[in-house]
Amino acid sequence: MPEAHLHRREALREHLRERELDALLVTNLLNVRYLTGFTGSNAALLVHAADRQGDEQRTAFGTDGRYRTQSAAQVPELERVIERPSAEALVAWAAKRPEEYRRVGFESQHVTVDGLDSLTEAAQEVELQRAPGMVEAQRQIKDDAEIEALRMACAAADRALVDLLEHGSIRAGRTEREIARELENRMLDYGAAGPSFETIVAAGANSAVPHHRPTDTVLAKGDFVKLDFGALVDGYHSDMTRTLVIGEPAEWQREIYEVVRTAQATGRAAAVPGAEVISVDNAAREVITQAGYGERFPHGLGHGVGLEIHEAPMLASTGVGTLTPGMAVTVEPGIYLAGRGGVRIEDTLVVRDDAPEILTLSSKELTVA
Amino acid sequence: MPEAHLHRREALREHLRERELDALLVTNLLNVRYLTGFTGSNAALLVHAADRQGDEQRTAFGTDGRYRTQSAAQVPELERVIERPSAEALVAWAAKRPEEYRRVGFESQHVTVDGLDSLTEAAQEVELQRAPGMVEAQRQIKDDAEIEALRMACAAADRALVDLLEHGSIRAGRTEREIARELENRMLDYGAAGPSFETIVAAGANSAVPHHRPTDTVLAKGDFVKLDFGALVDGYHSDMTRTLVIGEPAEWQREIYEVVRTAQATGRAAAVPGAEVISVDNAAREVITQAGYGERFPHGLGHGVGLEIHEAPMLASTGVGTLTPGMAVTVEPGIYLAGRGGVRIEDTLVVRDDAPEILTLSSKELTVA
């Protein structure tokens, strides 16, 4: 993994030089983690454009006293400034070397209006310049270490679901909350540090609420049960949704399930390099619209996933950009019939040159539990 | 609870009038939750200064299509603008009524540099003005509904620890990770929605790392075991630390435990209305310094706790302000001897007119497990 962090910093430096910045002040903690591997709760990073792998004397890492030991272990290769507030301390550190840090970019998508005031004060002669989203742009395309973490996160979730199905845990008489907890515990058994977001288990009419929180609602025969959940492994989030039926499916259930299943397959097939994110959303949406349920699909088709559960690119009618090999995204169309029930089917996949690589492998056939 | 939200908005309006703002645009999601009870992942709120309870026609709530149903249930009393991006949509809504929204405050401690650009574009004739931390200031003093939630969160954590101790779960041969997971599961049994932060279980030399993540380290006789954990109930976070010894404590363990215990009691006693936060930190720190361990206590004494695990006020040498009845804070001194072990003892308490009310009630005697 440390090797990967060096490469990521190298790639960032190239972009910095293109933008004629001497350095980038990274304050988004996830971006710091991405570039260094540091997992504490407070840090900042100053990446100098002219440093190079093995000789990073002008690149510095900042955190506070709680993380002295941890940062020495996780970021041994960089100068460490142990002082609060970390971002201001790094800027002050740069301000002492004004000839080497003339123009320093900052993450204007992350630094607050008030935060910029205190950075500007610390900067003295250093010119701070907006440089929004540079690391996020880089993070859209996952490297091998990241895909491996995503694969493990997806596997933990897959295995947990298989366990529950094999043990008949999803059945009439149990509550949404019980099932959510069992899913989460099984994911921990399979190596997750935790759930990657609040597990959704939604039975019966609750399945028509796109983002439902598990309650003490008891599963009953004839219910749709929608499970939207994921595992967190090495900071990476998996995300999958499966919808089951308790007992024999009714005709309307078979119908909307089949529409969503086709839409999801269509969306997956559209997720190829060069595809506009809007067109991927459109491809799946068109299937649902043609079936007469267009208004029952009130959310985007999917989103990027990685160190955040929702990150760029967004596969939505409002999204921008095109897909590139190595992007990890979800594809998750749904149909929700208020008061009756809903279906969502979701995979996490990696865009590849040929067909996308699906990381969530549980069956998408209509499962009768 | 809805009653509480109305009162909180009323109190905010008073502050808005003092600052001659027509309204405040609330974009920090926790502040939106505090003022409305909305628990979704995307929302903003525009609170008009001249509205009043029962007649809030100029106060509007914004979210997106995923939360149409949920927001109707949780925020029925307010006009709802269902449009992304929510903050911009609310500002545009206000811009259509320029005579009523001349000066609108925004949370400059939360709005990003780039975010302000898009708000400014949406604002048209409306003047946006910095109004940092107004809701956070209000949130420092907890109302009865909040203290009740904190009490339940603290009780869930307390009971979980008592269970583990009664069942002999914390013993030589078990791993940090096993114990962390058991603690978390017991908290769920006692009504927690989840842990309030990543549970720390740190055995032996690991206990000398202030923020250690549970590993497969096996507990052994003679180890300190530091447990820092909490429960999340209705969005409120409890926070407590206890340190035990496996088997008979050594002399050095008794010594530093006693110093920390005295420092913690001293800190608690100093947490009275009117006390400067620095002086509370000082009071506890002085005990540790006098005992010769001043440099082994490298963090602040405590922090406010509520909808965030760390919020104002900070009880630290760099803190500002004084304590007021109703503030909920932690008091958590520690001594960490690298390579050997460390002790931290932490309570969550509410500042009261007389003595503080301690919400975490587990024993602070040196427990031999």
Side-chain angles (χ1 to χ4, degrees):
Chain A
M1 202 63 172
E3 197 69 10
H5 302 123
L6 297 179
H7 290 313
R8 292 173 197 163
R9 293 199 291 269
E10 282 300 286
L12 175 61
R13 288 190 178 108
E14 223 167 282
H15 299 304
L16 291 176
R17 290 190 294 260
E18 284 161 17
R19 298 183 60 147
E20 300 185 357
L21 290 169
D22 293 319
L24 180 70
L25 176 70
V26 184
T27 52
N28 175 337
L29 196 58
L30 290 175
N31 290 346
V32 175
R33 180 176 183 163
Y34 173 79
L35 294 167
T36 64
F38 179 73
T39 56
S41 67
N42 173 42
L45 179 70
L46 186 68
V47 179
H48 198 285
D51 270 357
R52 59 180 194 280
Q53 203 167 316
D55 179 21
E56 299 191 74
Q57 297 197 9
R58 289 162 295 187
T59 294
F61 172 89
T63 185
D64 65 67
R66 291 173 300 167
Y67 294 111
R68 189 180 291 277
T69 312
Q70 180 177 333
S71 62
Q74 293 185 323
V75 198
E77 71 278 21
L78 295 182
E79 167 96 25
R80 290 181 300 285
V81 177
I82 311 285
E83 196 182 327
R84 252 185 208 270
S86 304
E88 283 80 348
L90 284 184
V91 170
W93 184 85
K96 286 185 209 141
R97 300 154 182 82
E99 68 292 342
E100 290 190 326
Y101 299 89
R102 274 179 295 254
R103 297 175 65 228
V104 172
F106 70 95
E107 299 188 294
S108 52
Q109 87 289 1
H110 180 259
V111 170
T112 66
V113 172
D114 290 350
L116 181 56
D117 283 355
S118 44
L119 290 180
T120 303
E121 197 180 317
Q124 299 181 49
E125 291 162 60
V126 174
E127 181 196 338
L128 293 175
Q129 188 164 322
R130 291 188 189 203
M134 292 185 72
V135 185
E136 284 84 350
Q138 201 174 321
R139 278 172 45 197
Q140 287 193 46
I141 298 168
K142 271 64 181 175
D143 59 32
D144 290 346
E146 295 185 280
I147 291 173
E148 190 48 36
L150 282 169
R151 200 174 274 132
M152 290 193 292
C154 289
D158 263 332
R159 288 178 189 161
L161 179 58
V162 167
D163 266 16
L164 263 67
L165 290 172
E166 283 185 353
H167 290 92
S169 301
I170 304 173
R171 60 172 188 271
R174 301 201 78 205
T175 69
E176 294 172 345
R177 227 190 284 265
E178 285 166 359
I179 292 167
R181 190 156 155 198
E182 201 172 330
L183 261 180
E184 292 178 357
N185 268 308
R186 288 297 80 74
M187 291 195 289
L188 294 175
D189 285 338
Y190 289 118
S196 60
F197 58 91
E198 210 177 328
T199 298
I200 295 174
V201 176
N206 293 342
S207 61
V209 180
H211 282 72
H212 171 75
R213 290 184 163 183
T215 65
D216 291 324
T217 299
V218 174
L219 277 59
K221 233 178 138 172
D223 278 356
F224 266 134
V225 182
K226 187 180 68 193
L227 308 145
D228 186 349
F229 64 105
L232 185 67
V233 173
D234 284 345
Y236 285 78
H237 299 72
S238 75
D239 195 356
M240 70 185 281
T241 309
R242 292 294 183 268
T243 306
L244 324 173
V245 175
I246 306 291
E248 202 49 37
E251 197 42 46
W252 69 273
Q253 290 177 313
R254 285 189 192 281
E255 182 191 327
I256 66 171
Y257 192 90
E258 196 48 36
V259 174
V260 174
R261 199 165 71 102
T262 307
Q264 207 261 350
T266 307
R268 276 189 280 124
V272 293
E276 299 268 355
V277 294
I278 297 185
S279 74
V280 182
D281 178 277
N282 267 347
R285 193 172 299 280
E286 190 57 22
V287 174
I288 292 177
T289 303
Q290 287 296 330
Y293 294 104
E295 292 189 2
R296 310 300 181 169
F297 175 25
H299 57 73
L301 181 66
H303 52 83
V305 65
L307 286 169
E308 290 175 277
I309 180 65
H310 297 122
E311 56 182 48
M314 292 296 157
L315 306 187
S317 55
T318 54
V320 286
T322 58
L323 295 183
T324 307
M327 286 184 169
V329 298
T330 69
V331 173
E332 48 175 314
I335 294 178
Y336 311 92
L337 305 182
R340 300 179 76 190
V343 172
R344 182 165 61 244
I345 302 173
E346 173 186 28
D347 286 315
T348 295
L349 51 84
V350 180
V351 177
R352 297 294 193 189
D353 278 324
D354 34 26
E357 178 186 351
I358 302 179
L359 302 184
T360 43
L361 300 170
S362 299
S363 166
K364 290 183 283 278
E365 297 300 314
L366 177 52
T367 302
V368 176
Chain B
M1 204 62 173
E3 197 68 12
H5 302 124
L6 298 178
H7 289 314
R8 293 173 197 163
R9 293 200 290 269
E10 282 301 285
L12 175 61
R13 289 189 176 107
E14 223 168 281
H15 300 303
L16 291 176
R17 292 191 293 262
E18 284 163 16
R19 297 182 63 148
E20 300 185 356
L21 291 169
D22 293 319
L24 180 69
L25 176 71
V26 184
T27 51
N28 175 335
L29 195 60
L30 291 175
N31 290 344
V32 175
R33 179 175 184 163
Y34 173 79
L35 293 167
T36 65
F38 179 74
T39 55
S41 67
N42 173 42
L45 179 71
L46 185 68
V47 179
H48 198 286
D51 270 357
R52 59 180 194 280
Q53 202 167 318
D55 179 19
E56 299 190 74
Q57 298 196 9
R58 289 164 295 188
T59 294
F61 172 88
T63 185
D64 64 69
R66 292 174 299 166
Y67 295 111
R68 189 178 291 277
T69 313
Q70 180 177 332
S71 63
Q74 292 185 323
V75 199
E77 71 278 20
L78 295 183
E79 167 96 22
R80 288 181 303 285
V81 177
I82 311 285
E83 196 183 328
R84 254 182 206 269
S86 304
E88 283 79 351
L90 284 184
V91 169
W93 184 85
K96 287 185 210 140
R97 301 154 182 80
E99 68 292 343
E100 288 190 327
Y101 300 88
R102 274 180 296 254
R103 298 174 66 227
V104 172
F106 70 96
E107 297 189 296
S108 52
Q109 88 288 0
H110 180 260
V111 171
T112 66
V113 172
D114 290 348
L116 181 56
D117 283 355
S118 46
L119 290 179
T120 302
E121 197 181 318
Q124 299 180 47
E125 290 163 60
V126 174
E127 180 195 340
L128 293 175
Q129 188 165 323
R130 291 189 188 204
M134 292 186 73
V135 185
E136 284 85 349
Q138 200 174 321
R139 277 171 46 196
Q140 286 194 45
I141 298 168
K142 271 67 183 174
D143 59 32
D144 290 347
E146 296 185 279
I147 291 173
E148 190 50 34
L150 282 170
R151 200 174 274 130
M152 289 191 295
C154 289
D158 263 333
R159 286 177 191 161
L161 179 58
V162 167
D163 266 15
L164 263 67
L165 290 172
E166 281 184 353
H167 290 93
S169 301
I170 305 172
R171 61 174 188 270
R174 300 201 80 207
T175 69
E176 293 172 347
R177 229 190 282 264
E178 285 167 358
I179 292 167
R181 190 156 155 198
E182 200 172 330
L183 260 180
E184 292 178 358
N185 267 309
R186 288 296 80 72
M187 291 196 287
L188 294 174
D189 287 336
Y190 289 118
S196 60
F197 57 92
E198 210 178 330
T199 298
I200 296 174
V201 176
N206 293 342
S207 63
V209 180
H211 281 71
H212 171 75
R213 291 185 163 183
T215 64
D216 291 324
T217 299
V218 175
L219 276 59
K221 231 176 138 176
D223 278 355
F224 267 134
V225 182
K226 188 180 67 191
L227 309 144
D228 186 350
F229 64 105
L232 185 66
V233 173
D234 285 345
Y236 284 80
H237 299 71
S238 76
D239 195 356
M240 70 185 283
T241 308
R242 293 293 184 269
T243 307
L244 325 173
V245 175
I246 307 290
E248 201 50 38
E251 196 44 44
W252 68 273
Q253 290 177 314
R254 285 190 192 281
E255 183 190 326
I256 66 171
Y257 192 91
E258 194 50 35
V259 174
V260 174
R261 199 165 71 100
T262 307
Q264 207 261 351
T266 306
R268 277 190 278 123
V272 294
E276 300 269 355
V277 294
I278 297 186
S279 74
V280 181
D281 178 277
N282 266 346
R285 193 170 299 279
E286 189 58 23
V287 173
I288 292 176
T289 304
Q290 286 296 326
Y293 294 103
E295 292 188 4
R296 310 301 182 168
F297 175 25
H299 57 73
L301 181 65
H303 52 84
V305 66
L307 286 169
E308 290 174 277
I309 182 65
H310 296 121
E311 55 181 48
M314 292 295 158
L315 307 187
S317 55
T318 53
V320 286
T322 59
L323 295 182
T324 307
M327 285 182 171
V329 297
T330 70
V331 173
E332 49 176 312
I335 294 177
Y336 311 92
L337 306 181
R340 300 180 75 191
V343 172
R344 180 164 65 242
I345 303 173
E346 173 186 29
D347 285 315
T348 295
L349 52 85
V350 179
V351 177
R352 297 293 195 188
D353 278 325
D354 34 28
E357 178 186 353
I358 303 179
L359 301 185
T360 43
L361 300 170
S362 300
S363 166
K364 291 183 284 278
E365 296 300 315
L366 178 51
T367 301
V368 176

